[in-house]
Amino acid sequence: MQVLIDAFEAIRDFLELGGPVLRVIAFVILIMWIMILERLIFFGTGLQQIIRDSFEAWEARAERRSWHAHQVRAAIISRAKMAANQSIPMIQTLVALCPLLGLLGTVTGMITVFQVMASAGTGNARSMAAGVSMATVPTMAGMVGALSGVFLVTILTRSARRRIAMLEDDLTMDH
């Protein structure tokens, strides 16, 4: 139990060190990771079922060569593609937002440093150090969040593209 309390206190201290912008960055990263995990789980379960259902719907058709059959095939693929790519643009937006919020944290931290310098002069190193940490910690957090998100959104995008391409290949026009 003490380990959990220590971990909670360490997280609280870290969030206070980075200022209010770090809390926003933490929230954005949390939402981004929830969405990434949802997509990973969906790719393992729900998308597989959608692909199976799509294949079965196509195989149940007696005729596959007419213009109408081509349109039905395109609609089946389109529905599967929409399901596979759902939430990926939002994840990409959150990934892009992380470094921008980190930059906002840098600016607000530097404003704090300049306010300390204006009121206390350059002699108050402790107050200046607090402002500098408030400037650097959000920048680092925003970059770490963006890097982890870029890696996983690339994996998700490639996986979606690959699975839809396999579905397109499986829905043959024979018969």
Side-chain angles (χ1 to χ4, degrees):
M1 186 67 181
Q2 186 61 33
V3 172
L4 290 175
I5 293 171
D6 291 343
F8 177 75
E9 288 176 357
I11 292 169
R12 186 193 66 212
D13 292 344
F14 180 74
L15 288 174
E16 287 176 7
L17 182 67
V21 175
L22 187 59
R23 291 182 191 94
V24 174
I25 293 171
F27 180 73
V28 167
I29 291 172
L30 175 69
I31 297 300
M32 178 184 73
W33 272 97
I34 288 171
M35 294 177 81
I36 287 171
L37 290 174
E38 182 273 331
R39 285 286 91 190
L40 290 171
I41 292 168
F42 176 75
F43 280 11
T45 58
L47 184 59
Q48 298 295 78
Q49 186 62 44
I50 288 172
I51 289 173
R52 275 193 298 274
D53 292 347
S54 299
F55 183 74
E56 289 171 7
W58 180 253
E59 288 296 314
R61 290 187 56 82
E63 188 275 320
R64 299 186 197 157
R65 291 197 175 270
S66 68
W67 177 87
H68 186 263
H70 284 272
Q71 299 308 310
V72 169
R73 179 180 181 271
I76 289 171
I77 292 169
S78 179
R79 279 192 291 273
K81 185 184 273 188
M82 285 175 48
N85 290 320
Q86 184 180 2
S87 300
I88 290 179
M90 179 58 80
I91 295 169
Q92 290 171 328
T93 301
L94 293 174
V95 166
L97 190 60
C98 285
L100 295 174
L101 289 171
L103 182 60
L104 178 64
T106 301
V107 170
T108 57
M110 293 311 295
I111 288 172
T112 302
V113 170
F114 293 141
Q115 285 175 341
V116 168
M117 288 175 64
S119 64
T122 58
N124 193 344
R126 186 177 301 266
S127 295
M128 285 176 45
V132 169
S133 71
M134 217 166 102
T136 56
V137 170
T139 305
M140 182 250 339
M143 295 308 280
V144 167
L147 286 174
S148 65
V150 163
F151 177 69
L152 278 153
V153 82
T154 301
I155 290 172
L156 290 171
T157 304
R158 286 184 182 173
S159 179
R161 194 177 309 132
R162 186 179 69 247
R163 291 174 191 214
I164 296 304
M166 289 171 55
L167 176 64
E168 288 176 2
D169 291 344
D170 289 345
L171 300 184
T172 61
M173 302 302 280
D174 298 347
H175 250 160

